Amino acid sequence: MRSQRAWLDPFVGRADEMERLLLCREGALAGRGRMVVLAGPAGIGKSRLVEEFIIASAGPTCSGHAVERVAAPLRLWRRLLAGMPGGTEMLERELASLRFADDAGGQVDMFDAVCDFLRSAAQPSGLIVILEDLHWADQLSLGLLGHLNAELPASRLLVVATCRPEAATGSLAPL
């Protein structure tokens, strides 16, 4: 009977990946945040794994996604923050001040504000941040992600990102 059920289950073969994601979630809840990148070709089940993980973890979640041929600066983050109370207002305020800042530190200040906002939102019960299709993200969005990644270890944030293999380089590595 077990083998018949396995054949019917559309989520067969992902138990190890799911277990690793749930362990990462436990670590984030304990204040050891991190980023996990699920890399693989189109259609292999990255988004499906993320969906099942969200259900299994039953924790607060926010998500954003990049879109092919839409390289609008920070679109990924705008979508993510739009789903959070006060997120859009905070980002628009930071972007407005960035437009008038003529020093290179303006972008870092905006990155810091977004990171602080997410870390605050993760208190006390943690927060799962889902970023889909990083291979289509603009450079500013990736810069913000790199900035956030550096601040994750002392947070209750778990960032789960998906991308195609060609984008999984440097600090972005598959699970």
Side-chain angles (χ1 to χ4, degrees):
M1 184 65 139
R2 186 171 177 354
S3 62
Q4 183 181 16
R5 181 160 193 258
W7 181 77
L8 296 172
D9 186 352
F11 199 62
V12 162
R14 297 289 187 191
D16 290 343
E17 291 87 349
M18 179 64 75
E19 182 64 27
R20 290 176 73 185
L21 283 170
L22 291 169
L23 287 172
C24 290
R25 171 77 173 137
E26 286 178 25
L29 288 173
R32 297 182 312 275
R34 67 183 312 172
M35 178 169 61
V36 175
V37 178
L38 304 173
I44 198 151
K46 299 176 298 292
S47 295
R48 174 83 163 115
L49 176 58
V50 168
E51 290 169 8
E52 292 295 327
F53 169 64
I54 291 169
I55 292 167
S57 65
T61 305
C62 59
S63 63
H65 60 277
V67 177
E68 186 176 18
R69 296 186 193 97
V70 178
L74 298 173
R75 183 195 187 282
L76 175 73
W77 296 98
R78 289 176 191 270
R79 301 300 300 157
L80 181 128
L81 294 167
M84 302 177 70
T88 298
E89 295 81 5
M90 178 278 305
L91 184 59
E92 292 306 320
R93 193 171 46 252
E94 290 301 319
L95 289 174
S97 67
L98 178 60
R99 288 186 192 109
F100 298 108
D102 48 359
D103 65 313
Q107 185 174 322
V108 172
D109 291 343
M110 186 266 296
F111 286 178
D112 283 341
V114 172
C115 292
D116 291 346
F117 181 84
L118 290 171
R119 286 189 358 220
S120 176
Q123 295 298 334
S125 57
L127 179 65
I128 300 170
V129 175
I130 306 296
L131 301 172
E132 291 269 8
D133 297 322
L134 285 184
H135 49 277
W136 289 325
D138 63 282
Q139 289 303 309
L140 192 56
S141 289
L142 294 175
L144 176 50
L145 178 59
H147 195 85
L148 177 62
N149 189 38
E151 296 193 17
L152 289 175
S155 75
R156 293 182 183 273
L157 288 165
L158 174 60
V159 177
V160 178
T162 67
C163 70
R164 302 224 177 118
E166 60 271 16
T169 61
S171 64
L172 302 180
L175 177 67

